[in-house]
Amino acid sequence: MAEKKRKINWTEEEREILIEQCTSETGRKINLKFSNEISAKDKAIFWEKTAERINSISMCQRTADEVKKKWIDTKSSAKKKAQSMKKELGRTGGGPYPGGLTNLEEKVVTVIPKCSIDGIVNAIDIFAVFTW
């Protein structure tokens, strides 16, 4: 069986196009898990068009599945970094967080629901309130 060759790393321009597409109004709708407005076919078309747009400037041809996977990984990475920053702010000693979000990561974080990063604030644990 032939070994699968690894593709070249994503360039900054490719990432910019991906984030621009996925943070647009259509991209935000596509990323909703449950929506009556967007069908699975619409989502597939969105990822195909995004891949085409990326491939138009890329030295490496990427499939729609690879583009979608890159978006998922990018969101996950930005979310972890934002959560880490929030955690650092609450530590004793204060001071600025040594790192920070890049402009592209800032755009990605705008798509992620705030409660995914901050947690649920002022939540009541119903199991602690009610004793069965």
Side-chain angles (χ1 to χ4, degrees):
M1 183 150 79
E3 252 185 66
K4 185 178 176 183
K5 280 196 165 188
R6 188 178 176 280
K7 292 191 177 183
I8 62 172
N9 290 342
W10 284 65
T11 64
E12 192 69 21
E13 292 83 18
E14 289 173 321
R15 276 186 249 139
E16 285 174 8
I17 290 173
L18 174 66
I19 291 170
E20 177 187 317
Q21 289 289 106
C22 293
T23 57
S24 69
E25 189 63 35
T26 305
R28 289 173 187 267
K29 288 180 183 176
I30 291 295
N31 286 300
L32 294 174
K33 288 192 179 199
F34 305 106
S35 173
N36 293 334
E37 296 178 40
I38 307 292
S39 68
K41 185 177 180 182
D42 293 334
K43 291 181 180 187
I45 291 169
F46 172 81
W47 291 115
E48 285 293 332
K49 287 185 178 183
T50 302
E52 284 176 21
R53 186 150 179 232
I54 290 169
N55 289 333
S56 70
I57 59 114
S58 180
M59 295 172 38
C60 176
Q61 295 299 299
R62 307 202 187 267
T63 66
D65 287 339
E66 290 169 338
V67 170
K68 185 176 179 180
K69 172 82 167 93
K70 180 64 175 178
W71 173 244
I72 291 168
D73 293 346
T74 301
K75 262 193 333 186
S76 177
S77 173
K79 178 180 169 183
K80 283 179 186 174
K81 196 168 179 182
Q83 287 173 330
S84 176
M85 285 176 57
K86 181 161 175 56
K87 184 178 176 183
E88 280 293 317
L89 289 173
R91 295 183 103 178
T92 304
Y97 180 71
L101 295 176
T102 65
N103 289 339
L104 292 178
E105 289 170 333
E106 289 279 349
K107 287 182 183 179
V108 173
V109 168
T110 64
V111 177
I112 300 170
K114 191 163 173 48
C115 65
S116 289
I117 295 170
D118 297 341
I120 300 173
V121 182
N122 298 327
I124 298 172
D125 185 358
I126 62 165
F127 294 107
V129 175
F130 297 105
T131 54
W132 304 99

